[in-house]
Structures are given as C-alpha cells and as structure tokens.
Amino acid sequence: MKDQILIKATDMFLTLGFKSVTMDDIAAEMGISKKTIYQHFSNKDSLVKEATMHLFETISCGIDDICTLGKDPIEELFVIKDFVMKNLKNESASPIYQLQKYYPKIHKSLMIRQFDKMGDCVIVNLKKGIEQGLFRKEINTDIIARFYFAGMTSLKDSEIFNPEHFTSKDLQVAYLEYHLRGICTEKGKEKLEQLLKTNK
C-alpha cells in the first residue's frame, strides 16, 4: 500500500503541484481513508520528501540505462530529454516552483542530488563527444557541465520562463540546441541538425 500511495501522490504532485495537493485529495483519489496514508507517512512533508526521492531514483536509473545503449552523445542527450519529460509528465514550472517555495529543504536536498548525478553524466557525455569528434576538444568539461546544470535548472523558474508563454518541450529543445551549438564541431552540428528536424 505504501508504494501505491507514493506512486499516486507523485503523479498528483507533478500534475497539480506539491502545495496544491492535500492528503485528503490523495485519499479521495485512491478511495482510501486519510488514516491509511498516515499509517505509512507521518505527515505531508515526509510524503513530499519520499515522492521527490522516489522520482529522482526512477529517473536516475532510467538515465543510467540510456547511457548503456551506446548511442552517440548528441542523440543520447535527446533521448534522455524525452525520457525525463515523460516521467515528469511534461510538467510546467509550477510543481517545481511550489516545491522550492513551500518545501525549501526538500528542494535543496533534491538539487544537490541532481547536481551530483547530472554533473557526472554530463562530463561523461562531453568526454565521449570529444573522443568521437562531435564536440570541440578544447572545451573545459567541468565548466561546461556546470553551465549545463545551471541552465537546465533555470528553465524551471516560472518568473523567467512563464509557462503560459513557453511550453516545457519548447524550452528543453531550445536549450539543448543552445548547449550543443556552443560545443559541437562541424561533424557534431550535422548530427544536431538531423535530430532537430525530428524534435520540432
């Protein structure tokens, strides 16, 4: 039952927002009593914390699986983008904004985990791209990895990117193109152009 509650809560948080969804909402949606939820989660904070970590682990494992497929590093980034968006239900900025505003400690913990995970993945991706002649060999991988993480994080800022004006998919594709055009060789740009045609 705990796993079922976690899955349903995560789904509702991503769809409606971490602040907007109440324990009553989750109980009603599942057809169970609120008491049943409290048997597994002491309060809403603990449920939000476990839901965000559950989501992080799910996405992390999926990214690890994608990285073993042997795709070239440019295509790999697009496949990861699609996978992450699917698991986040193409969410708008609102759920993440609510998490940051109303659950700052949980948000900060999530960001640290994301940076550790994403930083490692991006550096491996960059080095692979350099080896394959798709990325420029003179780039500083440590700096570019941090640029990439900082940029991806800023896409969730609803004050900069109002979800009423920018869809999550458009932002993700535009940011990937922005990132890759700055580091690609001519060979890499040819591959990028091919992928952009199928992502727009």
Side-chain angles (χ1 to χ4, degrees):
M1 177 56 77
K2 182 177 182 180
D3 287 345
Q4 290 175 283
I5 295 170
L6 200 55
I7 291 167
K8 175 55 71 175
T10 302
D11 181 68
M12 292 178 73
F13 289 148
L14 286 176
T15 305
L16 303 168
F18 287 92
K19 175 67 173 175
S20 305
V21 175
T22 66
M23 299 294 251
D24 285 316
D25 293 332
I26 298 166
E29 184 72 19
M30 295 187 71
I32 60 176
S33 70
K34 195 161 63 168
K35 183 180 177 183
T36 303
I37 298 177
Y38 283 118
Q39 286 174 350
H40 300 282
F41 301 94
S42 58
N43 52 39
K44 187 180 173 185
D45 280 25
S46 69
L47 179 55
V48 168
K49 183 176 181 178
E50 288 206 41
T52 56
M53 293 308 135
H54 167 73
L55 185 63
F56 172 78
E57 292 299 334
T58 300
I59 291 175
S60 292
C61 290
I63 291 174
D64 287 342
D65 289 343
I66 291 169
C67 291
T68 65
L69 297 177
K71 296 184 179 298
D72 75 64
I74 297 176
E75 184 179 3
E76 184 176 270
L77 288 177
F78 278 89
V79 173
I80 288 172
K81 181 261 301 176
D82 290 339
F83 171 78
V84 171
M85 287 186 66
K86 181 181 176 184
N87 276 273
L88 293 180
K89 299 171 67 66
N90 295 329
E91 51 86 10
S92 66
S94 178
I96 301 300
Y97 173 75
Q98 287 191 15
L99 184 67
Q100 183 176 10
K101 184 174 181 180
Y102 298 105
Y103 303 94
K105 288 184 179 178
I106 297 173
H107 179 264
K108 185 174 182 181
S109 174
L110 180 64
M111 292 297 289
I112 291 169
R113 283 175 174 244
Q114 282 183 331
F115 177 73
D116 289 342
K117 178 67 181 179
M118 199 179 205
D120 291 343
C121 288
V122 174
I123 287 175
V124 170
N125 180 275
L126 291 169
K127 288 180 177 177
K128 191 161 65 173
I130 292 170
E131 289 170 7
Q132 295 180 17
L134 296 170
F135 299 157
R136 293 183 291 109
K137 61 184 178 183
E138 69 273 15
I139 62 173
N140 184 316
T141 55
D142 286 336
I143 292 176
I144 298 297
R146 283 167 170 74
F147 281 170
Y148 185 74
F149 180 79
M152 287 294 285
T153 304
S154 73
L155 298 183
K156 304 295 184 188
D157 190 329
S158 58
E159 292 182 6
I160 300 175
F161 299 105
N162 188 326
E164 292 181 10
H165 300 137
F166 306 100
T167 69
S168 184
K169 181 182 177 182
D170 286 346
L171 285 174
Q172 295 281 347
V173 173
Y175 184 68
L176 260 185
E177 180 179 2
Y178 177 80
H179 166 69
L180 288 165
R181 286 198 185 282
I183 62 175
C184 276
T185 59
E186 289 305 313
K187 178 183 174 183
K189 286 176 184 175
E190 289 176 13
K191 178 67 180 181
L192 174 60
E193 293 293 348
Q194 293 170 10
L195 286 165
L196 287 173
K197 287 176 184 176
T198 60
N199 273 268
K200 286 188 175 176

